[in-house]
Amino acid sequence: MQAQNPVFVPMSNVSKLPDVEFYDVIEDKQHYIWLAADKGLYRYNGKNYKHFSHPKQKANSLFQLKLDSNGTLWCNNIYGQIFYVEDNSLKLFHDASKLVIGQLAPFTIHEDYIRLFTVTGIYDIDIITKKTTKFFGAMCISNSNSNTTNYTFAINSEGDTKGQSIYKFNKKEKSKLFEITSVKNIQSPKLFAFNNVIFFTHKSESGNIIYSINKTNNSTKQLKTPSEIRNEIIYGLLKFNDAYWFLTSSGVFIYDFKKEAFIFREQLFNTESITDVEVDFNNNYWFTTLDNGVFVAPNLNVRRTNLEFVEAKITSSVALQNNKFVLGTNNGKLLFYKENKLYKTLQLPGKKIIGKLYFDEQKKQLIVSINASESFVVNLKTNKITDFNNRFSVAKTFSKINDSILFYGNYRQGIVYKNPFNKTEKIIIKDSRVKASTVIGKTLFVSYIDGFYKYNTASYSSEEIQYNFKSLLVNCITKSNDGIWLSTQHNGLLKFKNDSLTKFDHNLPNNFQINNIHYDDDVLWFSSDSGLFQYQLKNNALKLLSTQDGLDTAVNDFLVLKNQIIIIRPKAFYTLPKSQNLFKTFKTAKVRIETVSINDRDTLVKSNYKLPHNHNKIGLTFNSNGFQSNQHVNYQYRVREIDTSWQNIPLNTHYVNFNSLSSGTYKFELKAQNISAKQSVYAVPITFKIAKPFWQTYWFYCLVVLTVFGLIWLYFRWRMKQKERQRIAEIDKILIDKKITNLRLENLRSQMNPHFIFNALNSIQDYIVSNEKELASSYLVKFSRLIRMYLDYSQLNEITLEEEFNALKLYLELEKVRFEDELDYNITIDEQLNTKQIKVPSLFIQPYIENALKHGLLHKLTNRELKVEANLIEQHKLQITVEDNGIGRQKSEKLKRPNPQHKPFATKANEERVHLYKNKLKRDITIEIEDLYNENQKASGTRVIITMPI
C-alpha cells in the first residue's frame, strides 16, 4: 500500500480471516458483516467469523449479496442456486441450473417473486410456490436495479446482425432505452443504476467506454472516459457522499460527476484489486479484494504517509507557512513537505541528530538545534546552511520576543539573545532546565523543571506563578487570543488569564496526561496516549480521534497547519483535515444475548425461565456487532435482586456466569456502549425464576408441622401405653410376688410339717430322758436355728447360694438324727462358684431333698446315701444335682397311702414357682427328674437336676 492511503486495518491482523479471495460485502440490519468469498459465505460479528453452507450447495463460492425489505440476506452461485439465510442457517430457495447454463446470473428481489436474469432470458420465480415464469426472451448479460426498476443489457440475434440493447423493466412493464448495432458482441458490459443516472460501461479496442443514461428523460450520452481508468478492469461502481467510486484492478478511483464529466479526486489502494466496498453503521469502510483478503479503513479522513525511503527516524518537526512543514531526522536530513508531498531535502554537514527546529517567519530562516554542541541556521530562500556552533544546541524551546530578541531554553539554562543571528548579546535569566515557553505582549512565560515563571521583557525581572500556593510543573504551553493554556504534570489543563489560573475539567479522564497542546482559531488541540483531542472553545464541544479512527498509537508531537493537522511518528506521519468530517459520531450496535446455558447445557434463548431449584448454574454470552467491537465496546450488567449498581465486565469479555443462584426471581439486565459513543444500548432483559426446594415450600412446612404434631401425639400415645404396660407389669409383679410369697409359705408349711416337727421334738425328748443334756441342747439349738432360717428366708424372693446350702446342711443334720444315723449325705460345691454372690430362689432345693428322704430313702433300711452337687456349666449356668440311692419313684408310689393329715404339696408349689420364673420373670429354670437303675435294671434311686442362669 502506497503513501497517502487512508489508515486501514487488515482483517487478517484482527482475527483469522477464512479466505483471501472475496467478491462481495454487505452489512445487515443487525450490523453483521457478510462476506461472499471463494470458500463460501461468512458472517463477522466483531469477534469472529461464522461459515454458512448448505448440504445441496454445488460450489463453495457465493456471489451477489442482497438484502430484501425484511432484512433477509440472499445470494447465489454460478450454478443457478439461489440461497437465503433464515434461523441462523443457509436455506436453498431454488435451483435454476437449467436456466443459467453455468453463467452467474444477476437477480433482484421483489415482494412476491425473485427476478432472475440469465443467458436464456428473464424469469420470475414465485417466492411461495417456486413457480417459474419466463418474462423476457433475450440473452441477459448485465443488470442493475434502482428501487423496483431494473436496467438490463440484453442481446437479440436477428440474422447476421446482433441487437445489443439496454432495457428498462418496471415490474411487468418494459421499454428499450438504448441500442448498439454491432456485428460483434461488446465485451464486459456492465450497468450501474443510481438515483438520477445510470452508467453503462464496456470494453473496446480503445479501452473502456462509458455511457450515461438520464433517468428522467431516458436520454443516453457517451462520456469521456477518464484517462486513469481507460484501461483498467472495472469490477464495480459505487456512490458515497456524492462521489463515484470505480472499483478496479488498480484500487479505487474516486471522481466527482459534474456537467456530464468525471473529475478525478484521488486513487486509493492502487496495488489492490478491489471488488466491493461497504460502509457500516459507524462509517467504517470495508474493502474486499480479489487476492488480498479484507481490510477496513476506520476513517477516510485520516491518511498515513510512510517514510520507508528515509533510512532514519523523524526526531523533530516544525510548521512553515500555509500547508508546508519540515521534518528533521536522526541522520541530519531536513525533509520539506508541501500539500503532503516531499518537495525538497537538505543534508546537514555530517550525520546529526536534529533535536529541535524553529522557523523564523520574518527572516525566513530555520534554526536547527542538534542534540550535541552544534546548531545550524538554514536560509530558506537560498537553502544556505550556516554553522552556529553551540549557540542553539540541545534546545528545548524557542520564543521570539521581538524582531531582534529571541528566547532560547536548553537542558540547563534559560537564555535571551539580542541579535541572535549576528553579533549577539547573551543574557542568562535562570540556571535551570527549560521545558516550554511563549510570549504574550511584553511578557515572557517560561516553564522550568522547578516552576513556572513570567518575565518582564524590558527588565527580565521574574515572578513565579503558583497554583494553590504550590509550584507548577508545566510540560507544554500554547497561547490563545485572551491568555495561555498550560498542560501541567499534576494539575491537568490550566488557563492563565488576567493573572489568575483556572482549571479546565471538561469530561477528561482521571489522571489525564497531555503530551502536547496547540491553539488554532478558537480550537484547542491536545495530544495524549489516548489519541488527539479537539476542544471547541465557543461551544465547549470535546471530540476525540483514537484507535477507532485508525490512530493505533499514542500521539505525542503534532503540527497545526493552515488546513490540516500533521501527527508525527518516527517512520511516518498522519494527515488530518481541519474539518467537521474528521470526527465520526460513533454508535453502539444492539446488544443481544446469544446463548443461555443452564447447568452447562445450552438452551433456547427466551425472556422468561422457570427453573427447578437445582438448575441454578446459569451462563450467558452476548455480543454487540461492529468492527472490532470486542476491543471497543464496554459491557455492564445488573441483576436487580443482587446488585445495587451496574457491574463492569472486562473489555473483550462476552460472558457472565452465575455458579449457584439461590431460589428467587432474578432479572438480568445488560447494556453496552462503544467507548467513543455517548449513549448505551440495552439488551432485552431476561428473567429467571428459580423455584424453592421442596423443603423450603409452604406445603413442606405444613407437612413438617403435621409430622411433628403426629410424632408428638404418637410419642404421648406410646408413653401412655408404656405407662399402662408398666402399670400392668407392676400389678403382675405384685401378683407374682404375692404368688411367690404364697408358694414360699407353702414351702415353709411343707418344711415345717408336723411329722418333721414331731420327730425333731421326739429326738429332743429322748435326749432329755436319757439325760443327754448336751445333745439335747445342741439339737434344740440347731432346730431353733433352722426354724429361724425358714422364717427369715420365706420373706425373700432370692437368697445367696451359700445361705441356701447352709439351710440344707442344717436340715440334713437334723434329718440324720431322725434316721438314727443311718443316712450318709455329701454336699459338693464347685470351687468356681462364688456362693456369696450367686442368687437362687429362696428355699428352692429343700423340697427335692425332702422328697428324696421321704419317698426314696425312708423305705430303705440300710446304706442310705444322698448327694447334693452344685456345678458351673456352659453359658454361665448353675446346675444343682440331688441324687439318692433310694427305692425309686415307681416303688414309692405303690407304698403311698392316703393321709388327710399330711398333703404332699411342696413339689407342686415349686413347679408353680418355676412356671412364674419362666413366663413372668423371664428366668429360664429347668427341672429334670431321672430314675436310676443298676446293671440288673432294678431301681437304684432318683436324680433331680436343677438348671438356672447365674
Side-chain angles (χ1 to χ4, degrees):
M1 302 273 177
Q2 298 300 313
Q4 281 300 296
N5 278 321
V7 174
F8 67 93
V9 179
M11 289 303 293
S12 57
N13 295 347
V14 175
S15 56
K16 188 177 180 181
L17 198 63
D19 203 348
V20 295
E21 185 175 345
F22 291 87
Y23 311 121
D24 293 282
V25 57
I26 196 169
E27 182 187 43
D28 66 14
K29 292 182 179 180
Q30 285 76 42
H31 305 306
Y32 286 109
I33 296 295
W34 296 86
L35 298 166
D38 180 58
K39 293 181 180 178
L41 179 65
Y42 296 91
R43 187 181 73 184
Y44 174 71
N45 64 356
K47 298 181 298 181
N48 46 45
Y49 302 90
K50 180 179 179 179
H51 182 234
F52 287 76
S53 63
H54 192 275
K56 295 182 179 180
Q57 189 174 337
K58 295 180 179 179
N60 290 330
S61 301
L62 292 172
F63 306 87
Q64 302 189 89
L65 302 180
K66 299 177 186 295
L67 294 172
D68 64 18
S69 58
N70 297 320
T72 301
L73 182 78
W74 296 74
C75 58
N76 69 343
N77 59 18
I78 60 175
Y79 293 96
Q81 291 178 306
I82 302 174
F83 300 93
Y84 65 97
V85 176
E86 186 179 72
D87 296 332
N88 215 27
S89 63
L90 190 65
K91 310 286 186 180
L92 176 61
F93 170 71
H94 186 69
D95 190 336
S97 56
K98 294 181 180 179
L99 304 178
V100 304
I101 315 177
Q103 299 296 317
L104 183 63
F107 70 95
T108 58
I109 308 167
H110 298 266
E111 185 176 354
D112 302 320
Y113 59 92
I114 301 295
R115 179 161 285 179
L116 187 64
F117 302 83
T118 75
V119 293
T120 61
I122 301 176
Y123 298 88
D124 290 340
I125 306 170
D126 190 276
I127 288 181
I128 297 175
T129 65
K130 312 293 176 65
K131 181 181 178 181
T132 302
T133 305
K134 192 169 185 177
F135 174 68
F136 188 68
M139 179 188 293
C140 298
I141 306 300
S142 177
N143 180 79
S144 182
N145 68 294
S146 175
N147 298 323
T148 59
T149 304
N150 288 281
Y151 299 88
T152 306
F153 177 80
I155 300 176
N156 282 319
S157 298
E158 299 177 0
D160 294 334
T161 303
K162 296 185 177 181
Q164 302 173 99
S165 305
I166 296 174
Y167 293 88
K168 175 182 178 181
F169 300 100
N170 190 353
K171 296 184 178 179
K172 300 298 182 179
E173 299 178 359
K174 63 181 178 181
S175 59
K176 184 187 292 186
L177 301 181
F178 174 60
E179 183 175 355
I180 300 174
T181 303
S182 174
V183 176
K184 296 181 180 180
N185 288 337
I186 60 177
Q187 301 298 313
S188 303
K190 291 183 175 64
L191 279 163
F192 307 100
F194 300 97
N195 288 336
N196 299 319
V197 66
I198 298 98
F199 293 105
F200 171 64
T201 68
H202 69 84
K203 276 190 171 297
S204 69
E205 292 180 355
S206 61
N208 290 320
I209 304 296
I210 303 177
Y211 293 88
S212 69
I213 303 173
N214 189 301
K215 290 182 68 175
T216 304
N217 55 23
N218 295 330
S219 61
T220 304
K221 180 180 180 180
Q222 183 175 348
L223 306 176
K224 181 181 178 181
T225 302
S227 59
E228 298 88 3
I229 60 172
R230 180 177 299 279
N231 297 309
E232 297 292 340
I233 299 174
I234 298 175
Y235 298 117
L237 178 58
L238 302 173
K239 185 179 180 181
F240 297 111
N241 299 323
D242 296 327
Y244 290 93
W245 293 35
F246 284 87
L247 313 182
T248 73
S249 56
S250 297
V252 178
F253 292 86
I254 302 177
Y255 294 88
D256 292 320
F257 186 65
K258 297 179 179 179
K259 297 180 180 180
E260 297 295 320
F262 286 106
I263 303 171
F264 179 71
R265 184 186 291 182
E266 63 179 331
Q267 181 184 6
L268 304 178
F269 309 117
N270 60 347
T271 62
E272 300 296 332
S273 296
I274 306 296
T275 57
D276 199 8
V277 179
E278 177 75 359
V279 181
D280 68 18
F281 72 108
N282 268 330
N283 287 323
N284 298 301
Y285 284 72
W286 295 72
F287 296 83
T288 57
T289 70
L290 207 55
D291 54 9
N292 197 24
V294 180
F295 48 90
V296 179
N299 193 329
L300 290 184
N301 293 300
V302 180
R303 304 297 177 92
R304 177 186 172 102
T305 301
N306 293 319
L307 301 175
E308 288 90 350
F309 67 94
V310 181
E311 296 179 356
K313 291 182 179 181
I314 305 302
T315 54
S316 61
S317 61
V318 69
L320 304 179
Q321 290 176 310
N322 298 323
N323 286 321
K324 295 179 182 180
F325 61 95
V326 183
L327 303 178
T329 70
N330 63 352
N331 65 354
K333 284 185 178 181
L334 295 171
L335 307 176
F336 292 82
Y337 281 86
K338 180 180 181 181
E339 301 294 341
N340 305 324
K341 294 181 181 179
L342 181 66
Y343 70 91
K344 181 170 63 177
T345 301
L346 297 179
Q347 176 68 55
L348 299 177
K351 291 187 176 183
K352 316 291 184 182
I353 299 177
I354 300 174
K356 186 72 177 178
L357 296 173
Y358 175 73
F359 173 58
D360 189 330
E361 185 176 353
Q362 181 188 7
K363 298 183 180 297
K364 299 295 187 291
Q365 292 187 134
L366 184 68
I367 299 177
V368 181
S369 176
I370 308 301
N371 285 348
S373 298
E374 294 180 275
S375 60
F376 300 89
V377 174
V378 181
N379 188 317
L380 297 181
K381 294 179 180 179
T382 62
N383 293 332
K384 180 181 178 181
I385 301 174
T386 304
D387 189 348
F388 271 64
N389 299 318
N390 65 347
R391 184 177 300 180
F392 306 111
S393 64
V394 199
K396 298 299 179 182
T397 181
F398 292 95
S399 291
K400 192 172 184 179
I401 298 174
N402 56 41
D403 292 342
S404 61
I405 301 176
L406 179 71
F407 172 78
Y408 151 68
N410 58 32
Y411 69 99
R412 62 188 181 90
Q413 290 176 329
I415 300 171
V416 173
Y417 284 123
K418 295 182 178 180
N419 299 318
F421 303 112
N422 298 311
K423 295 181 180 180
T424 184
E425 180 183 347
K426 179 179 179 181
I427 302 173
I428 300 175
I429 60 176
K430 184 175 174 62
D431 288 321
S432 181
R433 184 185 183 92
V434 181
K435 301 198 72 175
S437 65
T438 193
V439 175
I440 296 182
K442 295 182 179 181
T443 304
L444 169 67
F445 296 89
V446 183
S447 168
Y448 300 95
I449 62 169
D450 56 355
F452 180 59
Y453 292 81
K454 69 174 183 178
Y455 294 88
N456 186 311
T457 56
S459 62
Y460 296 107
S461 59
S462 65
E463 177 186 347
E464 184 179 6
I465 300 174
Q466 294 185 333
Y467 184 68
N468 292 335
F469 306 103
K470 293 182 179 179
S471 296
L472 275 174
L473 301 180
V474 178
N475 295 324
C476 47
I477 307 171
T478 189
K479 62 181 178 179
S480 62
N481 295 333
D482 58 349
I484 59 173
W485 293 85
L486 311 174
S487 170
T488 67
Q489 185 75 26
H490 304 295
N491 299 289
L493 184 61
L494 302 176
K495 183 178 182 180
F496 183 77
K497 179 181 178 181
N498 299 328
D499 289 333
S500 65
L501 288 169
T502 305
K503 186 175 179 62
F504 173 85
D505 188 13
H506 186 80
N507 298 326
L508 292 178
N510 294 329
N511 301 318
F512 183 73
Q513 191 66 45
I514 295 175
N515 298 328
N516 207 343
I517 187 169
H518 290 286
Y519 173 82
D520 177 57
D521 192 18
D522 283 333
V523 174
L524 202 61
W525 298 87
F526 48 91
S527 62
S528 72
D529 292 346
S530 302
L532 181 66
F533 288 84
Q534 181 201 67
Y535 178 61
Q536 297 180 3
L537 298 176
K538 289 183 178 180
N539 56 15
N540 294 325
L542 182 66
K543 299 179 180 179
L544 169 66
L545 282 177
S546 63
T547 55
Q548 288 198 83
D549 295 280
L551 295 180
D552 56 347
T553 181
V555 179
N556 290 313
D557 294 331
F558 67 97
L559 305 175
V560 178
L561 306 183
K562 180 179 180 181
N563 297 322
Q564 58 189 12
I565 307 294
I566 307 296
I567 297 175
I568 311 300
R569 298 297 299 157
K571 295 293 290 183
F573 63 86
Y574 294 88
T575 305
L576 288 68
K578 292 196 305 185
S579 66
Q580 293 302 317
N581 295 331
L582 174 62
F583 296 93
K584 300 194 301 182
T585 301
F586 286 92
K587 302 175 184 177
T588 307
K590 181 180 179 181
V591 59
R592 291 181 303 278
I593 296 175
E594 296 183 326
T595 64
V596 175
S597 64
I598 299 172
N599 285 4
D600 297 324
R601 297 185 65 180
D602 287 343
T603 185
L604 184 67
V605 178
K606 51 186 181 179
S607 59
N608 287 280
Y609 291 85
K610 290 184 179 181
L611 305 173
H613 74 93
N614 57 343
H615 286 194
N616 59 349
K617 183 180 181 182
I618 297 174
L620 303 100
T621 64
F622 41 82
N623 188 57
S624 175
N625 294 330
F627 173 60
Q628 290 186 304
S629 62
N630 58 331
Q631 299 179 22
H632 299 146
V633 175
N634 285 321
Y635 297 95
Q636 291 180 307
Y637 76 91
R638 178 175 64 184
V639 179
R640 286 188 176 273
E641 291 71 19
I642 299 176
D643 305 311
T644 57
S645 60
W646 290 93
Q647 304 299 310
N648 291 320
I649 300 173
L651 195 64
N652 201 18
T653 300
H654 298 263
Y655 62 87
V656 172
N657 291 323
F658 301 96
N659 289 327
S660 182
L661 290 175
S662 57
S663 58
T665 301
Y666 301 92
K667 187 176 183 180
F668 177 80
E669 298 176 332
L670 178 71
K671 68 178 181 179
Q673 184 175 4
N674 187 295
I675 57 177
S676 298
K678 295 182 179 179
Q679 294 181 340
S680 300
V681 295
Y682 294 81
V684 176
I686 294 182
T687 301
F688 298 93
K689 187 175 183 180
I690 301 175
K692 293 181 179 180
F694 70 89
W695 58 84
Q696 293 181 0
T697 57
Y698 291 112
W699 65 264
F700 182 78
Y701 293 153
C702 294
L703 182 61
V704 169
V705 171
L706 291 175
T707 302
V708 169
F709 279 112
L711 291 174
I712 293 173
W713 179 79
L714 290 174
Y715 172 75
F716 279 107
R717 185 178 178 186
W718 172 77
R719 286 291 296 164
M720 291 175 66
K721 288 185 176 181
Q722 188 181 46
K723 289 183 177 181
E724 181 67 17
R725 285 194 297 268
Q726 290 177 352
R727 187 179 65 82
I728 293 173
E730 290 174 356
I731 293 173
D732 288 343
K733 187 174 183 301
I734 293 171
L735 294 175
I736 291 170
D737 289 344
K738 183 177 180 181
K739 185 70 173 177
I740 291 174
T741 301
N742 292 334
L743 292 174
R744 287 201 304 269
L745 292 175
E746 290 177 359
N747 271 346
L748 181 61
R749 286 170 56 197
S750 69
Q751 291 153 7
M752 299 178 66
N753 61 74
H755 180 71
F756 169 72
I757 295 174
F758 175 77
N759 288 338
L761 293 175
N762 261 350
S763 298
I764 294 171
Q765 182 181 8
D766 289 341
Y767 288 139
I768 294 173
V769 171
S770 301
N771 201 22
E772 296 178 3
K773 295 180 181 180
E774 291 183 2
L775 290 175
S777 176
S778 175
Y779 194 92
L780 183 59
V781 169
K782 290 179 181 179
F783 177 73
S784 63
R785 285 178 57 198
L786 180 62
I787 296 302
R788 178 63 177 264
M789 284 182 181
Y790 284 166
L791 293 174
D792 290 340
Y793 295 163
S794 65
Q795 304 299 318
L796 302 173
N797 285 334
E798 290 182 332
I799 60 175
T800 64
L801 185 62
E802 182 183 41
E803 292 172 336
E804 181 76 11
F805 273 94
N806 288 337
L808 288 178
K809 290 178 182 178
L810 195 56
Y811 170 73
L812 287 174
E813 287 179 4
L814 294 176
E815 286 288 34
K816 187 175 181 178
V817 173
R818 186 165 74 96
F819 280 84
E820 298 176 352
D821 291 330
E822 291 294 330
L823 173 65
D824 292 327
Y825 65 89
N826 184 24
I827 298 175
T828 305
I829 300 174
D830 193 337
E831 293 181 355
Q832 298 182 28
L833 295 173
N834 189 347
T835 58
K836 293 184 179 181
Q837 290 186 353
I838 296 174
K839 296 283 188 175
V840 295
S842 62
L843 306 175
F844 191 77
I845 303 172
Q846 189 273 340
Y848 299 100
I849 292 177
E850 181 183 351
N851 283 342
L853 295 175
K854 180 178 178 181
H855 302 291
L857 297 176
L858 181 62
H859 302 290
K860 190 176 181 180
L861 300 178
T862 60
N863 192 24
R864 299 184 179 112
E865 293 181 0
L866 178 67
K867 295 180 182 178
V868 181
E869 293 181 356
N871 295 304
L872 179 66
I873 62 173
E874 58 187 7
Q875 297 179 348
H876 304 287
K877 287 187 177 182
L878 173 65
Q879 186 182 75
I880 299 174
T881 305
V882 178
E883 183 179 334
D884 66 78
N885 62 347
I887 62 175
R889 289 189 298 171
Q890 187 175 3
K891 190 173 181 179
S892 175
E893 286 293 328
K894 293 178 180 180
L895 295 176
K896 281 183 180 181
R897 294 288 185 269
N899 187 358
Q901 303 295 326
H902 177 72
K903 293 181 180 180
F905 51 79
T907 303
K908 183 179 178 181
N910 259 14
E911 289 176 355
E912 290 186 14
R913 290 179 72 187
V914 169
H915 178 75
L916 290 173
Y917 274 108
K918 270 188 176 184
N919 297 312
K920 300 295 183 180
L921 301 179
K922 307 301 180 184
R923 191 166 183 183
D924 188 17
I925 299 176
T926 60
I927 300 174
E928 297 179 12
I929 301 175
E930 298 179 7
D931 293 321
L932 303 178
Y933 299 90
N934 59 18
E935 55 189 20
N936 296 324
Q937 293 301 312
K938 293 181 72 174
S940 61
T942 304
R943 179 185 299 143
V944 179
I945 301 174
I946 303 170
T947 305
M948 65 181 69
I950 297 177

